[in-house]
Amino acid sequence: LRYTDEDKSIRYTSRSDRRPNTVLIFDISTEELVNGGVPVELNAGRFTQRLAASYALNADWSLQASATSGFRSGGWNGRGSASAPCFHTPTCYQAFDPETLWTYEAGVTSDLPAHHLKLRATLFQTDVNDLQLVTGVRGAGGITFLTRNATNARFRGVEVELDWQSLDGLDLHANFGLLDGAYTAIVTPSLLTRDTEPVHAPSANGSIGALYHLRLRDLTGRFYVGGNLTFTGSQWTSSLN
């Protein structure tokens, strides 16, 4: 069990105060933010928990399960835009709330010394509430992209890791993962829908690698040579998909 308390505040000083008779595109003051309804102080306090259990089936096989909560504190959109409706207004500096999540995992671990083999396989699900996401809203001046608590989301997947150590100094390792993600409920109206594909969530990824270590006869130490190949599936980088 852990408790976290975070306080944040922002202040803007108008550069026009230092440059009289000058209009600056991204110029704004703290007073303008307050008058525009943007809070300049934020507080987030949360308890986070982790529950875990492990059971040994025998000397080689064991089962694990866990439930973990987490949160990411809120903040502000810190960049202005020269296009409407953001031009010199608090619209593009609005605040967003904390994001919270629970992750559930169940897995199996095997350590087979007779075969120089280690295996780990994990099933997981992550439920996210108030996901902080850059989304677009269509206005009179076009589409404005800002970080918002846009949606709730669910991610499910499996991860498998394999390590094999030979007797002649060669180690091989591989891992593979599958991921299925979805936005489950729209929290803040935007161009995002429940049919939108989650961003930065490739359906598959994996890697294979090898490491060879050679003992040096006349020197204390070892010489290592290794390499890895990594694969990441296609993914969306924008919520406008």
Side-chain angles (χ1 to χ4, degrees):
L1 182 67
R2 177 179 180 178
Y3 181 76
T4 303
D5 185 82
E6 293 188 6
D7 292 298
K8 294 181 178 182
S9 63
I10 58 170
R11 297 292 184 271
Y12 282 91
T13 301
S14 173
R15 289 178 293 174
S16 296
D17 295 341
R18 301 192 299 272
R19 300 181 184 181
N21 304 317
T22 300
V23 177
L24 300 172
I25 290 177
F26 304 115
D27 191 28
I28 200 165
S29 67
T30 305
E31 183 180 2
E32 288 176 289
L33 292 181
V34 173
N35 293 337
V38 177
V40 294
E41 294 183 354
L42 296 176
N43 171 264
R46 291 286 190 283
F47 281 102
T48 53
Q49 307 86 25
R50 185 174 190 273
L51 304 174
S54 179
Y55 178 73
L57 297 173
N58 52 46
D60 298 329
W61 294 86
S62 62
L63 302 176
Q64 298 87 32
S66 67
T68 307
S69 68
F71 91 101
R72 178 165 59 172
S73 60
W76 293 268
N77 284 275
R79 63 190 186 98
S81 170
S83 61
C86 289
F87 181 79
H88 195 55
T89 70
T91 304
C92 280
Y93 296 85
Q94 49 188 259
F96 48 89
D97 294 328
E99 166 188 307
T100 60
L101 62 82
W102 273 95
T103 295
Y104 309 95
E105 295 184 348
V108 58
T109 300
S110 172
D111 191 350
L112 305 172
H115 303 284
H116 315 289
L117 189 66
K118 291 183 179 181
L119 171 69
R120 289 173 292 276
T122 305
L123 294 171
F124 67 87
Q125 175 169 317
T126 298
D127 297 318
V128 186
N129 290 323
D130 299 320
L131 177 66
Q132 297 170 5
L133 185 67
V134 177
T135 57
V137 172
R138 193 181 303 278
I143 299 176
T144 302
F145 287 91
L146 293 174
T147 299
R148 301 174 171 88
N149 298 101
T151 180
N152 296 340
R154 184 215 68 228
F155 299 94
R156 293 172 177 163
V158 59
E159 295 178 342
V160 179
E161 300 176 52
L162 188 65
D163 294 306
W164 180 72
Q165 297 179 334
S166 70
L167 295 177
D168 58 359
L170 178 64
D171 297 342
L172 301 177
H173 54 269
N175 64 72
F176 182 72
L178 296 174
L179 179 67
D180 175 67
Y183 296 140
T184 55
I186 302 302
V187 177
T188 303
S190 67
L191 296 178
L192 198 76
T193 72
R194 290 183 61 181
D195 294 326
T196 302
E197 293 288 337
V199 298
H200 305 300
S203 59
N205 66 84
S207 70
I208 58 173
L211 180 67
Y212 183 74
H213 43 95
L214 176 67
R215 289 185 179 275
L216 305 177
R217 291 183 178 179
D218 300 326
L219 298 173
T220 4
R222 295 184 179 184
F223 182 72
Y224 292 89
V225 177
N228 290 280
L229 290 175
T230 302
F231 163 78
T232 302
S234 59
Q235 59 185 304
W236 289 97
T237 58
S238 168
S239 62
L240 197 63
N241 60 64

